[in-house]
Amino acid sequence: MQKSRFLPRGRKDRTMVLVDIRETKSVKAADIFLQVRPGKDFELLTILRAMIKDQPISDAEVAETGVSIEALQDLVARMKAAKFGAMFFGMGLSMTRGKHMNSAALLTLAAEMNAFTKFVAMPMRGHGNVTGADVIMRWQTGYPFGISFNRGYPRYNPGEFSTVDVLVRGDTDCVFVIGADPGATMPQPAIDHLARVPTIVLDPHVTHTSRLAKVHITTAPAGISAPGTAYRMDEIPLPLRPALKSSYPTDEEVTRRIKEAIQAKPDWMVEGPQRLETQV
Amino acid sequence: MDLKVIDHATCTFCGCVCDDIQLHADDTRIHKAKGACVLGKAWFLNHTTERNCPAALIDGKEATVEEAIQVAADLLYEADMPLVYGMSNTTCEAQRECVAMADLLGGLLDSHTSL
Ligand code: SF4
């Protein structure tokens, strides 16, 4: 691991704390492992928020989380003594009971830690360029995901406009899927709805979703044979350097052509378009 | 056969997006991905330029890209509440087009993040 001026011994100068509901393979790489009881993330984070501010907490509340008070006191001391702390969080937090509230508690803890030392929080990303999707949507609409344009301007409401919810409720009547395979990853009621409505898939391979789709278009894989830009997890944009040529069109080209074909039709808003004439 | 070496290639298999990979490639496939982890290596080495997928499918039958684009545009246009979803394994340039399309359609727009 990188050695630096302030951390001359590299990995030895760093402390990694892993919090999970079970012992995973990552435990070997960690210095400290805290096993939290399933569904108690919010409680644990809230106790930590209280502890950093020396507010009283009861033994019963601590016992509920499955982590000992000594381990928590040690963690708080380490967090406050750190020069620069970083919290990484994944789907274990956002996909269990509490969902957005868990992530919100963690982000608040990170913000509050800045009263003592520098602290940041960053979501762990699974697939390639999800971070880029966040950045591009923020840039163009002001919101990172879960957006509706149905009033002619962007509105943001995860839970109402987020895909799983929309599909499970059956709110959409046509789905355009690009660079994803919801047919393999989403809950069954969502997949059932995908099969019910006309679905359009753009992917380098014929995926699970393509098999239940009305239209599939094969595109060149990004980074292998399609050029462009991708964002790293910490929001650094990086150019792709494709090594191969492809006889398939790129995602960008196909999406643009579909968009242009739609543009050629009369506008869906009776009173005419309200949006800006050109997109920057 | 042309052998080429590409320095500072970028891997987009996972969110780390490593940009310090050296690729050794000929015209049809990548032979070596120096500096990539096991996942990245597998991803680079598994792709070839062979055309092993049909250009496009409509109702499971082979079609041209042009036909598929027309059908897709019609379906999206006729829908009352179209949804544009995904945008993970693709480039920022394509994502921008997706946002513009969702805006044009007056539809929903969402990525993997909400999962
Ligand atoms: S080389 Fe490995 S760690 Fe780096 S982006 Fe690719 S898959 Fe991720």
Side-chain angles (χ1 to χ4, degrees), chain A:
Chain A
M1 192 178 277
Q2 205 76 34
K3 294 187 170 73
S4 64
R5 186 166 155 197
F6 296 109
L7 303 168
R9 294 184 300 145
R11 176 68 177 88
K12 290 197 197 77
D13 281 328
R14 293 168 161 97
T15 311
M16 177 179 160
V17 182
L18 181 76
V19 185
D20 208 329
I21 55 163
R22 67 182 87 83
E23 273 195 43
T24 59
K25 280 189 188 156
S26 309
V27 173
K28 268 200 261 118
D31 300 303
I32 300 170
F33 171 59
L34 303 179
Q35 189 159 9
V36 61
R37 206 164 278 159
K40 295 293 172 194
D41 303 288
F42 183 81
E43 285 80 352
L44 181 69
L45 287 162
T46 311
I47 287 172
L48 284 173
R49 282 182 56 206
M51 285 177 72
I52 60 168
K53 282 173 277 183
D54 297 320
Q55 285 165 358
I57 39 161
S58 74
D59 294 342
E61 283 163 343
V62 176
E64 209 185 320
T65 64
V67 183
S68 72
I69 184 73
E70 293 76 29
L72 288 177
Q73 277 160 348
D74 174 60
L75 177 62
V76 167
R78 282 173 192 274
M79 282 165 70
K80 286 189 178 177
K83 292 190 197 113
F84 180 8
M87 300 182 196
F88 294 95
F89 61 104
M91 297 220 288
L93 212 55
S94 55
M95 275 286 102
T96 50
R97 181 174 162 261
K99 290 190 171 191
H100 306 299
M101 292 312 289
N102 294 337
S103 315
L106 182 119
L107 295 174
T108 317
L109 175 63
E112 287 172 350
M113 273 308 293
N114 278 276
F116 306 95
T117 182
K118 183 176 160 117
F119 243 90
V120 296
M122 197 188 290
M124 294 289 254
R125 305 332 268 290
H127 304 264
N129 197 16
V130 235
T131 312
D134 282 16
V135 174
I136 299 289
M137 282 191 268
R138 256 156 39 198
W139 163 46
Q140 293 279 302
T141 73
Y143 304 115
F145 59 89
I147 299 161
S148 167
F149 286 102
N150 64 2
R151 288 194 188 156
Y153 56 87
R155 288 184 301 149
Y156 170 65
N157 196 7
E160 184 181 6
F161 304 139
S162 35
T163 304
V164 180
D165 306 272
V166 166
L167 288 175
V168 170
R169 286 196 308 263
D171 280 356
T172 174
D173 55 352
C174 181
V175 187
F176 177 85
V177 179
I178 178 169
D181 191 7
T185 52
M186 286 209 170
Q188 196 56 43
I191 297 174
D192 291 344
H193 191 70
L194 271 179
R196 219 161 19 231
V197 299
T199 301
I200 299 134
V201 178
L202 262 56
D203 204 277
H205 307 283
V206 176
T207 62
H208 291 273
T209 319
S210 311
R211 274 186 257 281
L212 38 94
K214 175 110 179 134
V215 180
H216 162 92
I217 302 176
T218 308
T219 52
I224 301 277
S225 47
T229 315
Y231 271 79
R232 200 166 71 188
M233 206 170 82
D234 52 354
E235 302 195 349
I236 306 288
L238 295 163
L240 302 179
R241 295 183 213 284
L244 303 176
K245 284 196 176 56
S246 175
S247 50
Y248 297 113
T250 62
D251 283 335
E252 184 195 356
E253 186 198 330
V254 176
T255 318
R256 192 182 51 244
R257 282 168 65 189
I258 297 176
K259 185 193 77 182
E260 282 164 0
I262 298 167
Q263 240 159 1
K265 299 169 191 284
D267 200 90
W268 65 279
M269 269 200 169
V270 195
E271 61 276 32
Q274 298 183 341
R275 71 195 68 87
L276 299 175
E277 276 310 307
T278 46
Q279 293 246 344
V280 271

Side-chain angles (χ1 to χ4, degrees), chain A residues 215 217 257, chain B residues 56-58 61-74:
Chain A
V215 180
I217 302 176
R257 282 168 65 189
Chain B
L57 293 172
I58 300 174
K61 288 188 208 63
E62 288 199 26
T64 66
V65 176
E66 192 44 53
E67 286 164 354
I69 285 175
Q70 267 314 321
V71 174
D74 292 344

Side-chain angles (χ1 to χ4, degrees), chain B residues 11-18 21 35-37 39-40:
Chain B
C11 170
T12 54
F13 187 75
C14 83
C16 298
V17 190
C18 298
I21 292 157
C37 74
L39 293 171

Side-chain angles (χ1 to χ4, degrees), chain B residues 32-100:
Chain B
K32 223 188 210 173
K34 264 196 202 165
C37 74
V38 261
L39 293 171
K41 259 193 196 118
W43 188 65
F44 277 120
L45 270 46
N46 273 343
H47 283 88
T48 61
T49 48
E50 275 167 42
R51 284 184 74 91
N52 38 21
C53 289
L57 293 172
I58 300 174
D59 284 325
K61 288 188 208 63
E62 288 199 26
T64 66
V65 176
E66 192 44 53
E67 286 164 354
I69 285 175
Q70 267 314 321
V71 174
D74 292 344
L75 289 170
L76 286 165
Y77 181 75
E78 276 153 26
D80 291 323
M81 185 62 100
L83 162 68
V84 176
Y85 169 75
M87 297 186 273
S88 303
N89 298 321
T90 188
T91 60
C92 292
E93 287 74 6
Q95 288 162 351
R96 181 176 65 177
E97 293 298 335
C98 292
V99 179

